[in-house]
Every structure is written in C-alpha cells, then in structure tokens.
Amino acid sequence: MPIAREHRWLYPIDWRELSAFIRFGRAKGRCEHCQRPHGRHVLHLGDGVWWDEDISGWRNGQGRGVRRLPSPDALLRAQPGFVGIDPPSQVRITRVVLASAHLNHDPGDNRPRNLAALCQRCHMRHDASEHRRRRWINAFRMRAIGDLFA
C-alpha cells in the first residue's frame, strides 16, 4: 500500500526490508488473519469465504475450514442461466496482495510484534475504525476552517 505523504517521515529508512521480512519471512507469504496466499488469484463468495487451492476446500474470513459448501465448479453449474447467456457469477476472483499493517495504527511504532502481514480485505477491515476517525477529523477541520474564514 502506498504511504501517505504526511506519514512518510514516520517510517524508518529500511521500511521495505522490514515489510518484506514481515510478509515473507514471518508470515511465509500468507495473510496472518485469513491465510490467503500473496500474488495468487483466489475465488471468493464476497463474504470472506474463499477457495484455498492448497487444501482444495473453502476457508472463512479467519482462515478456518468451511464445511458443507460444494466446490466452485459445482457452484457454477448449479446456477440457472438462459440459453446463450452466461449465468450471473456468484463466485468472484480477486488477486491477493499482502501489505504490512500497524496493529495499533501508529506508523511510528515499527516493532515486529506491532506489524502484521495482511491481505487487502483484512487490512481494510482492520483499519475501518481508524479510517472513520480520520474522516470525522477531516470533516470537522473543514467545517472549522469554513467557519473561521466565512
């Protein structure tokens, strides 16, 4: 993920090496929350459930196995469709990209225990509350500036 310009000075000079160690050394190229593999295209159902080719089975958003779901081929065959028109796809494809996330949302705290290798879905879910907080602060600041110079 790109680093915001205003936060760039908080990161150490060797951030690329530290991030690579977390993502590929410690996590071995898999998301530490859901186990999605880096760089692969995975099939998913949109609710966190995804198909793991390594175990030939479905996993949920926490990386645990899911039972009672047919294979992706069986899901695609079970969907009704019109003659000559492909049925709407229930199964989606996403390319997984790992990023190093700060667990306490402090970009200045670069201790290995504060960093986690997360896929884009887990990273966005982890940072959702921080994004809401920053949106509120920015909106509040813009209203204050508007009141000051109106």
Side-chain angles (χ1 to χ4, degrees):
M1 287 187 103
I3 300 171
R5 180 171 292 162
E6 62 270 15
H7 298 295
R8 198 164 292 169
W9 62 275
L10 294 171
Y11 289 84
I13 293 173
D14 63 344
W15 172 250
R16 288 182 188 225
E17 291 81 13
L18 179 60
S19 176
F21 169 73
I22 296 295
R23 292 179 294 146
F24 303 113
R26 187 176 78 192
K28 295 184 178 33
R30 286 190 170 261
C31 176
E32 292 183 326
H33 286 186
C34 70
Q35 301 301 313
R36 290 183 189 200
H38 174 72
R40 286 197 204 164
H41 290 82
V42 297
L43 302 171
H44 65 94
L45 301 179
D47 60 353
V49 177
W50 61 282
W51 179 258
D52 189 354
E53 291 179 1
D54 295 339
I55 65 166
S56 296
W58 293 98
R59 290 186 186 257
N60 63 10
Q62 287 81 36
R64 295 187 204 104
V66 175
R67 299 176 196 260
R68 299 187 184 137
L69 273 178
S71 68
D73 296 332
L75 279 176
L76 290 174
R77 277 181 280 162
Q79 293 179 351
F82 295 99
V83 175
I85 300 174
D86 292 336
S89 180
Q90 192 178 17
V91 178
R92 302 176 194 148
I93 300 174
T94 300
R95 183 172 184 268
V96 179
V97 178
L98 288 182
S100 292
H102 291 88
L103 297 177
N104 66 358
H105 305 293
D106 179 11
D109 186 0
N110 295 307
R111 295 172 297 163
R113 71 175 187 206
N114 184 45
L115 298 173
L118 301 180
C119 66
Q120 60 267 40
R121 178 184 179 274
C122 294
H123 201 160
M124 290 302 291
R125 288 177 57 105
H126 176 73
D127 287 346
S129 61
E130 180 67 13
H131 291 169
R132 277 192 296 276
R133 186 186 74 79
R134 286 185 187 175
R135 260 196 321 269
W136 185 86
I137 288 172
N138 288 338
F140 183 78
R141 184 176 21 182
M142 293 307 289
R143 282 196 304 268
I145 290 172
D147 289 345
L148 185 63
F149 293 109

